[in-house]
């Protein structure tokens, strides 16, 4: 089973929208727009415009492919721009027809779609009454998804159970690994951050490798029309996955009924050895109490092994629970949180100053206890952003090891139990003490003396060099100092270089 990272102190990720769907058998579109292509809306072209929609817009490009379980007609296909899994006003959509074929026409006036297309998934809602050319009329609704695609795939964008399992795995893992609290992935936030784009693409590539290994199919098979190619192995696997998709939708809707404000996501996936059921439920913070603190925002997740027919659940092999509260104070927002997962717990304080002209200070304190490796530490990070949206500025972080002999931390031992004692927190004291140390790229440090107090000190500078994002870091630990520079290019690719002293030339990393 994959090892999901637990470092959730990086709350710089996506701001997301909760999924809809309620308790219905299939997610209900909110304010759907007429199909932009591929549907049987029965209208005439009624004008002299180039694409027949009557508004004078011309078509910038089209996306076409097939909806495949067997070939499925009567399903709604749409570009999920805001990542919430449902059809919203303004999202191009159409209907699959004979042999599962669909066409989405993107008008030249829809600049948002053009910008987002390589980050937005294609979603297909297969309702009760749609026609599966192999099995007949669909009796139980389900959804399928195609992860974001490049332009060279616009005319062969097949949406299948195999592409759906790829997206489900990516969507949830990306959210957990990068500190996000809601499993949707919103394009507009990706566009604000070059580094996040790079992380998004790298994670999707990694997920493809996982799916190839776990399901023993090639990347080409994931995206192919396995019916036309006569690939019986992929077809049989797809039928099993569809059963999981149907169960996922029904169980997610049941969880939604129990907690209408939550965003549930249930998936049946192939692990390294067994099939597993992954349940992820996010509930946002809501009311504010008399002290100014919000109710808890909650994340609960667990992974259980299941039988190959998905009817029986066995061992729980992963758990994760997080609670977070927020309030405004000291000219910014304070978040206090704690989480526990399998064999790791953390207690978190985070202060973000309200940005002025895009500039802000962000201070984080994390007490982490990893019983898997029997190691406890306190980590303090201070970020001075000159561009908060793109995370540009100077960041320094230092860690303090827990002293078993002393029964606590040698420094700032009072900085703990933030969530449990939030009503009595001395925020001014925490902010002052957290910033009492400052580490600069331009200074030399006595490593031996530095390590008397800390286990690791890192300084990072993030800046734009033309259109390139450059992240330069220096890490000091008991082994000395090391330098690394990562340049992320506009297309999401990157180059990493290293050196072992400030004045040395940059070269390849070992």
């Amino acid at each position: 089973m994959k090892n999901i990272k637990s470092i959730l102190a990086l709350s710089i990720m996506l701001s997301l929208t909760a999924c809809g769907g309620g308790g219905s058998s299939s997610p209900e579109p909110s304010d759907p727009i007429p199909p932009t292509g591929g549907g049987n809306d029965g209208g005439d072209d009624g004008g002299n415009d180039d694409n027949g929609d009557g508004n004078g817009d011309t078509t910038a490009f089209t996306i076409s492919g097939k909806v495949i379980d067997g070939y499925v007609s009567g399903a709604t296909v749409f570009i999920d721009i805001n990542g919430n899994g449902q059809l919203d006003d303004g999202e191009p959509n159409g209907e699959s027809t004979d042999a599962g074929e669909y066409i989405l026409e993107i008008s030249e006036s829809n600049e948002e779609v053009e910008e987002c297309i390589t980050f937005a998934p294609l979603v297909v809602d297969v309702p009760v009454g749609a026609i599966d050319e192999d099995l007949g009329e669909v009796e139980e609704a389900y959804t399928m998804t195609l992860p974001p695609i490049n332009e060279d795939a616009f005319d062969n964008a097949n949406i299948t159970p195999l592409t759906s399992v790829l997206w489900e795995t990516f969507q949830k893992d990306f959210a957990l690994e990068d500190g996000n609290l809601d499993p949707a992935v919103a394009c507009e936030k990706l566009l604000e951050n070059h580094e996040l784009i790079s992380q998004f693409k790298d994670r999707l590539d990694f997920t493809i490798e996982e799916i190839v290994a776990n399901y023993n199919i090639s990347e080409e098979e994931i995206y192919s029309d396995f019916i036309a190619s006569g690939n019986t192995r992929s077809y049989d696997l797809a039928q099993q996955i569809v059963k999981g998709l149907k169960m996922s939708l029904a169980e997610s809707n049941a969880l939604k009924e129990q907690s209408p404000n939550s965003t549930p996501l249930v998936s049946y996936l192939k692990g390294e050895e067994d099939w597993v059921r992954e349940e992820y439920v996010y509930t946002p913070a809501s009311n504010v109490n008399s002290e100014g603190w919000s109710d808890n925002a909650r994340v609960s997740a667990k992974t259980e092994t299941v039988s190959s027919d998905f009817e029986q659940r066995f061992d729980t092999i992963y758990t994760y629970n997080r609670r977070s509260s927020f309030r405004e104070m000291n000219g910014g927002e304070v978040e206090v949180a704690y989480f526990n997962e399998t064999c790791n717990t953390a207690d978190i304080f985070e202060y973000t100053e309200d940005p002025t002209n895009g500039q802000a200070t962000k201070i984080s304190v994390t007490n982490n206890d990893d019983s898997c490796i029997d190691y406890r530490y306190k980590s303090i990070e201070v970020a001075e952003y000159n561009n908060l949206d793109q995370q540009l500025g100077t960041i320094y972080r230092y860690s303090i090891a827990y002293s078993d002999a002393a029964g606590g931390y040698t420094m700032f031992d009072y900085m703990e139990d933030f969530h449990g004692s939030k009503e009595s927190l001395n925020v001014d004291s925490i902010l002052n003490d957290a910033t009492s140390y400052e580490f600069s790229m331009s200074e030399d440090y006595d490593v031996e003396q530095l390590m008397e107090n800390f286990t690791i000190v890192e300084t990072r500078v993030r800046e734009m060099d033309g259109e390139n994002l450059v992240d330069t870091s220096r890490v000091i630990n008991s082994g000395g100092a090391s330098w690394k520079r990562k340049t992320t290019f506009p297309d999401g690719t990157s180059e990493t270089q290293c050196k072992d002293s400030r004045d040395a030339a940059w070269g390849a990393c070992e």
Side-chain angles (χ1 to χ4, degrees):
M1 183 65 192
K2 52 193 172 294
N3 180 25
I4 301 178
K5 295 180 185 176
S6 62
I7 304 176
L8 294 182
L10 304 177
S11 58
I12 63 173
M13 295 295 116
L14 317 175
S15 172
L16 302 161
T17 308
C19 294
S24 63
S25 62
S26 178
E28 291 294 332
S30 60
D31 300 319
I33 62 174
T36 58
N40 296 318
D41 57 2
D44 58 36
D45 49 18
N48 296 320
D49 56 299
D50 292 327
N51 64 359
D53 61 6
N55 61 15
D57 272 343
T58 57
T59 299
F61 59 91
T62 62
I63 298 175
S64 61
K66 296 183 178 181
V67 177
I68 306 171
D69 172 10
Y71 294 130
V72 179
S73 59
T76 300
V77 182
F78 62 94
I79 303 174
D80 191 15
I81 298 299
N82 63 4
N84 68 354
Q86 64 181 12
L87 175 58
D88 297 304
D89 188 27
E91 292 180 334
N93 63 100
E95 185 175 312
S96 63
T97 58
D98 292 344
E101 294 182 349
Y102 73 91
I103 298 176
L104 302 182
E105 296 179 343
I106 315 303
S107 69
E108 289 183 344
S109 64
N110 201 330
E111 295 180 0
E112 180 184 16
V113 174
E114 289 195 60
E115 288 183 332
C116 285
I117 193 63
T118 55
F119 304 117
L122 289 173
V123 177
V124 54
D125 282 336
V126 182
V128 173
I131 302 300
D132 183 318
E133 292 188 6
D134 286 352
L135 303 177
E137 186 171 316
V138 173
E139 298 180 353
E140 189 174 356
Y142 61 100
T143 64
M144 296 190 293
T145 310
L146 173 67
I149 55 177
N150 295 320
E151 288 185 25
D152 57 4
F154 281 1
D155 60 353
N156 192 31
N158 299 320
I159 309 171
T160 78
L162 304 182
T163 63
S164 302
V165 76
L166 171 59
W167 176 246
E168 284 190 351
T169 304
F170 165 82
Q171 180 189 30
K172 190 157 42 189
D173 284 5
F174 185 76
L176 280 175
E177 289 200 4
D178 293 311
N180 190 34
L181 298 184
D182 192 313
V185 179
C187 164
E188 59 268 23
K189 288 297 178 181
L190 281 163
L191 293 176
E192 294 176 359
N193 192 314
H194 282 194
E195 185 183 27
L196 191 57
I197 289 174
S198 179
Q199 293 172 354
F200 182 94
K201 292 183 176 180
D202 288 347
R203 182 62 205 179
L204 186 55
D205 288 343
F206 177 75
T207 306
I208 290 173
E209 294 176 5
E210 280 192 315
I211 297 301
V212 168
N214 289 349
Y215 290 83
N216 193 28
I217 56 176
S218 68
E219 180 178 350
E220 182 180 0
E221 288 177 280
I222 293 174
Y223 293 103
S224 70
D225 180 347
F226 50 77
I227 294 179
S229 65
N231 188 329
T232 57
R233 182 180 61 164
S234 291
Y235 180 86
D236 291 342
L237 177 60
Q239 300 312 300
Q240 186 170 15
I241 290 173
V242 162
K243 180 177 181 180
L245 293 174
K246 292 176 179 178
M247 293 179 67
S248 296
L249 181 60
E251 292 174 13
S252 294
N253 285 336
L255 290 170
K256 184 77 173 178
E257 281 190 333
Q258 295 173 14
S259 181
N261 294 327
S262 69
T263 301
L265 179 60
V266 177
S267 304
Y268 286 85
L269 305 167
K270 186 71 165 60
E272 293 178 357
E273 297 179 358
D274 303 310
W275 285 88
V276 297
R277 177 187 183 274
E278 296 185 351
E279 178 181 304
Y280 183 98
V281 181
Y282 165 65
T283 306
S286 53
N287 299 324
V288 175
N289 66 21
S290 59
E291 298 293 330
W293 288 100
S294 71
D295 287 345
N296 286 333
R298 302 190 301 275
V299 174
S300 298
K302 64 180 178 180
T303 302
E304 305 163 286
T305 56
V306 295
S307 58
S308 58
D309 62 3
F310 308 147
E311 299 295 337
Q312 293 178 284
R313 302 183 197 176
F314 302 124
D315 298 330
T316 299
I317 56 178
Y318 174 79
T319 60
Y320 178 85
N321 292 281
R322 179 183 173 112
R323 302 293 181 265
S324 305
S325 293
F326 308 84
R327 69 161 297 176
E328 295 181 358
M329 60 171 52
N330 292 66
E333 183 181 72
V334 174
E335 175 187 358
V336 291
Y338 71 91
F339 75 77
N340 60 76
E341 68 168 341
T342 312
C343 56
N344 186 44
T345 61
D347 174 37
I348 300 165
F349 168 94
E350 188 171 278
Y351 166 82
T352 304
E353 179 185 57
D354 280 343
T356 303
N357 297 323
Q359 300 179 356
T361 297
K362 188 171 183 178
I363 298 170
S364 303
V365 183
T366 302
N367 297 298
N368 199 85
D369 184 0
D370 193 335
S371 59
C372 293
I373 58 176
D374 192 26
Y375 183 62
R376 300 171 70 178
Y377 66 89
K378 181 190 299 288
S379 176
I380 299 175
E381 179 172 293
V382 180
E384 299 288 351
Y385 293 118
N386 53 51
N387 185 319
L388 185 60
D389 286 341
Q390 296 189 45
Q391 310 292 299
L392 304 181
T394 301
I395 303 165
Y396 61 91
R397 179 175 62 89
Y398 55 99
S399 297
I400 306 163
Y402 186 89
S403 171
D404 290 319
Y409 295 101
T410 56
M411 301 171 63
F412 310 139
D413 59 343
Y414 75 94
M415 290 187 188
E416 60 181 3
D417 190 27
F418 302 118
H419 191 272
S421 61
K422 61 181 178 240
E423 310 289 354
S424 58
L425 282 182
N426 188 331
V427 173
D428 285 329
S429 179
I430 293 173
L431 297 179
N432 289 335
D433 288 350
T435 55
S436 60
Y437 288 85
E438 184 172 352
F439 302 94
S440 168
M441 285 282 200
S442 62
E443 298 179 23
D444 290 320
Y445 297 97
D446 184 324
V447 174
E448 185 175 340
Q449 183 178 12
L450 205 60
M451 292 301 101
E452 290 180 2
N453 291 324
F454 310 113
T455 56
I456 186 171
V457 173
E458 179 180 6
T459 304
R460 301 197 307 274
V461 175
R462 292 179 176 176
E463 56 192 349
M464 296 300 298
D465 180 9
E467 293 186 339
N468 301 330
L469 174 69
V470 180
D471 191 331
T472 306
S473 67
R474 181 192 55 204
V475 177
I476 302 173
N477 55 32
S478 59
S482 61
W483 298 67
K484 180 178 290 187
R485 180 174 68 186
K486 180 180 179 181
T487 302
T488 303
F489 305 106
D491 64 0
T493 62
S494 62
E495 175 186 50
T496 303
Q497 297 173 299
C498 295
K499 61 182 181 179
D500 56 13
S501 69
R502 186 177 61 187
D503 298 326
W506 291 102
C509 299
E510 297 182 357

